[in-house]
Amino acid sequence: MQTDHGLHTDGVRFRDAGETALVVEFGCSVDPVLNARVLALDQALSERAIPGLRETVPTYRSLMIHYDPLVLDRADLCRIVSECIATAPASARSGHLWTLPCCYDPACAEDLDAVAAWAGLSASRVAERHGAAAYRVYMYGFAPGFAYLGGLPDDLAIARRQTPRPPHPANAILIGGGLAAVATFPMPTGWFVIGRTPERLYSETRSQTFLIEPGDSLRFEAIDAATFAALDARAVEGEPVARRSS
Amino acid sequence: MPARTTLRILSAGAGVTLQDGGRHGFLRYGITPAGPMDPLAHASANRALENRLDATAVEVSLGGVSLTSEGKPVDIALAGGALRVDLDGRPLLCAAALTLRPGACLTVRAGETGAWATLAVAGRIAAPPVLGSTATHTRSGLGGLDGRALCAGDALPVDEPRAAIGDPVRLRMPWMHRPPQTIRVILGPQEDYFEACVIANFLAGPWRVGARGDRMACFLEGPVLRARHHDIVSDGVAMGAIQVPGAGQPLVLMADRQPTGGYPKIATVIGADLGRLAQAQPGTILRFSAVGIAEAVAARRAEAIALASEIAREPIVRTQFSSEFLLGTNLIDGVFG
């Protein structure tokens, strides 16, 4: 039950973002256990058709619930959320495992040398370290198809830039601030561009507009420039080139 | 074959876009909803033409727009801030509706107050929906015409155009009178990141609307607000969220905001006051007033009731213009009598 400060007994906090959004906060860190609870609540809410619930936004550690307060009363929403938290399993469906092709060639990896110099490693070793890790897709944000990934090796945890660099190419593989990301749209960024995937996480012309869901797992597979060009040509035609193995 | 009815953009300043009720349902994939800066103005202009409240319309910025119709006559309605409107050089008030005849030129320009106006069309502006919406989000290039703002020469085909109004009429929409001096907020979602004295300073203000605002954010200048921590782990961002970056000058995230963000949010503007804030021109002085959820919901309900009733139309007579307006426009003939 809630206290005056919106604190749920098990540490879950209800925060209001105006009268049309409720933030259900499970904690304040980047943590796969917290993220799993967020996604479990998200799934539990989606399984009940709740009139007035507009859409939900899972993030690392919270779920933002947009609602129409003329249809769904805040107190009723809080009660439903509390019920879902009490009965939901600690994690949602087990996510899919994706293999995303990634080209680390210099033309695709403008900032790889800068990261290598910072890390005291060779560029190829940085690519190898990045490519060997297993990642969790925590959330999307920032821009269409911009996926935040956790699981970056500690020795690649370079801080973000003080000032943004010029726009990166489409489908860039980024690292910064201890996280990794896949950025579908070219944007100025404070992150470092260390590779490029021919896959589009968002494509409005593909039958499956969004490929990868929060909670899915991801690994990268290094490809050379020729393979990149070939896969990119297929992806342009709307064919998914990432592989789903579970 | 009869010519298709088309709105032709003759000139457009920066930031004039097509908007509908917004691209909803995809925040979880990083898709910004966009949609109107002044949702009440958008709904009101559409209501005046008996359109769906979220129908596609032209959102006019302070940059202004000039347009004409081609093909058949079509009714249009304007609502929003007190922008300067004229039809072939004859001034109208912003809350107006009329039949736009082929070749007639309607111009909307910056006025003394207000920053946005919605120009709705009786019929359907035929723009291709992206993810179910025509709302333009220029930063990601989605919606509208090729994901961009409108410019001179653009043609907006109108399906099923209706023309019944005739000469310009004034629209009676008392709910559109919204002085911007006090903006109601609900504290949070991160109000606990701020000491009580900082929240008091936030509410005391006063705040000056900065010059660099756009559809993404309204920048505020006033007392420096310090959070206990100026970074949080990114979470969801609602329209109207008042974010406080490290430098301590808040910004209000508006229609083109990013779906998530990593700065603490001291408060959120209530839905009924989003348009009121959006209409505040740079330099406007305002204060925030903290209210509870119940008051915010009541204000929202009052808007819904206003929009459910039919909007009265009155013939435009000259006496309805203030002397200030008359001086500003050199209106001397009796064309509206």
Side-chain angles (χ1 to χ4, degrees):
Chain A
M1 294 301 101
Q2 273 189 270
T3 69
D4 289 341
H5 307 292
L7 194 64
H8 209 265
T9 42
D10 58 356
V12 179
R13 194 182 277 268
F14 290 161
R15 295 177 180 272
D16 291 299
E19 81 281 14
T20 64
L22 180 74
V23 180
V24 183
E25 188 177 276
F26 289 87
C28 17
S29 56
V30 178
D31 176 335
V33 175
L34 291 179
N35 188 240
R37 294 188 68 195
V38 171
L39 297 175
L41 173 62
D42 187 38
Q43 187 178 327
L45 288 172
S46 71
E47 285 165 2
R48 303 184 176 204
I50 303 166
L53 193 155
R54 286 180 170 149
E55 64 180 300
T56 54
V57 191
T59 71
Y60 294 110
R61 44 52 179 257
S62 66
L63 186 70
M64 180 176 258
I65 303 168
H66 292 270
Y67 66 101
D68 179 353
L70 300 186
V71 178
L72 178 58
D73 188 69
R74 180 189 185 278
D76 291 333
L77 175 59
C78 289
R79 182 181 48 73
I80 293 167
V81 168
S82 295
E83 283 169 18
C84 287
I85 291 172
T87 56
S91 64
R93 64 166 179 89
S94 52
H96 297 299
L97 172 62
W98 294 88
T99 301
L100 207 59
C102 176
C103 181
Y104 297 99
D105 271 25
C108 290
E110 295 164 30
D111 302 330
L112 192 58
D113 286 338
V115 174
W118 172 86
L121 301 168
S122 66
S124 60
R125 181 67 183 146
V126 170
E128 213 174 279
R129 297 278 299 145
H130 178 265
Y135 298 88
R136 176 186 182 85
V137 180
Y138 275 98
M139 61 182 276
Y140 285 90
F142 189 61
F146 188 103
Y148 289 87
L149 313 178
L152 186 73
D154 286 342
D155 53 357
L156 301 185
I158 187 171
R160 287 184 210 171
R161 298 161 184 275
Q162 293 287 334
T163 49
R165 50 153 280 158
H168 57 71
N171 309 309
I173 305 299
L174 309 176
I175 67 171
L179 297 167
V182 186
T184 304
F185 279 78
M187 291 266 180
T189 183
W191 301 54
F192 292 84
V193 179
I194 65 156
R196 197 173 173 197
T197 177
E199 187 55 277
R200 283 100 171 115
L201 296 195
Y202 162 71
S203 169
E204 65 194 67
T205 55
R206 186 175 56 208
S207 60
Q208 195 180 350
T209 307
F210 303 98
L211 212 55
I212 293 175
E213 293 289 324
D216 284 355
S217 301
L218 189 64
R219 43 187 301 282
F220 293 101
E221 178 181 55
I223 54 172
D224 60 22
T227 309
F228 176 89
L231 292 177
D232 195 52
R234 284 162 55 189
V236 168
E237 296 302 315
E239 181 188 339
V241 296
R243 295 194 312 278
R244 210 181 84 180
S245 54
S246 71
Chain B
M1 196 174 104
R4 190 174 190 190
T5 298
T6 300
L7 290 186
R8 175 76 63 181
I9 306 294
L10 302 173
S11 67
V16 177
T17 57
L18 284 183
Q19 297 296 336
D20 64 6
R23 185 170 288 104
H24 298 291
F26 304 99
L27 280 168
R28 61 193 297 110
Y29 299 110
I31 307 282
T32 290
M37 284 293 281
D38 183 345
L40 185 60
H42 186 95
S44 298
N46 274 316
R47 182 71 187 92
L49 299 174
E50 292 169 6
N51 285 344
R52 283 175 56 113
L53 298 184
D54 61 356
T56 305
V58 177
E59 183 181 82
V60 185
S61 67
L62 283 173
V65 73
S66 189
L67 51 80
T68 187
S69 80
E70 296 171 356
K72 282 184 263 178
V74 61
D75 289 347
I76 59 168
L78 274 158
L83 278 69
R84 281 178 198 277
V85 182
D86 76 71
L87 180 65
D88 290 329
R90 295 166 177 179
L92 307 175
L93 289 173
C94 185
L98 57 101
T99 299
L100 188 63
R101 298 191 172 88
C105 175
L106 184 90
T107 299
V108 185
R109 277 183 289 249
E112 312 230 333
T113 63
W116 303 95
T118 297
L119 191 158
V121 182
R124 198 168 52 80
I125 296 178
V130 175
L131 298 173
S133 164
T134 59
T136 310
H137 185 236
T138 54
R139 276 183 176 78
S140 53
L142 295 187
L145 291 190
D146 303 324
R148 59 168 173 80
L150 298 176
C151 60
D154 281 343
L156 306 173
V158 180
D159 290 339
E160 297 163 44
R162 306 185 301 276
I165 296 174
D167 289 338
V169 292
R170 179 186 176 200
L171 298 172
R172 270 199 62 76
M173 301 187 289
W175 59 87
M176 290 300 294
H177 178 68
R178 299 165 296 168
Q181 282 73 27
T182 303
I183 303 294
R184 290 168 290 180
V185 299
I186 291 169
L187 291 177
Q190 276 93 31
E191 76 276 25
D192 55 340
Y193 277 59
F194 301 88
E195 308 280 354
C197 62
V198 177
I199 291 182
N201 284 343
F202 165 69
L203 294 173
W207 296 99
R208 183 187 162 89
V209 176
R212 56 187 280 229
D214 59 9
R215 280 185 43 89
M216 187 170 181
C218 168
F219 292 80
L220 299 171
E221 298 158 2
V224 171
L225 306 178
R226 295 276 180 225
R228 291 194 176 107
H229 316 281
H230 60 72
D231 285 315
I232 61 170
V233 174
S234 285
D235 71 348
V237 174
M239 184 170 173
I242 304 176
Q243 184 169 276
V244 184
Q249 292 293 274
L251 56 156
V252 190
L253 295 163
M254 299 300 285
D256 281 2
R257 71 197 183 277
Q258 289 162 357
T260 60
Y263 293 115
K265 297 165 281 291
I266 192 168
T268 308
V269 176
I270 71 168
D273 283 2
L274 287 171
R276 191 189 295 262
L277 176 68
Q279 294 291 359
Q281 285 187 357
T284 302
I285 304 294
L286 56 82
R287 283 188 166 78
F288 293 108
S289 144
V291 300
I293 300 262
E295 180 171 340
V297 173
R300 180 172 284 269
R301 183 166 288 121
E303 278 190 357
I305 290 168
L307 289 169
S309 62
E310 197 165 320
I311 293 175
R313 300 170 179 171
E314 298 172 346
I316 295 180
V317 295
R318 224 169 64 175
T319 51
Q320 285 166 337
F321 295 105
S322 68
S323 57
E324 201 176 35
F325 182 82
L326 293 169
L327 286 169
T329 56
N330 296 316
L331 179 70
I332 48 168
D333 64 343
V335 290
F336 303 112

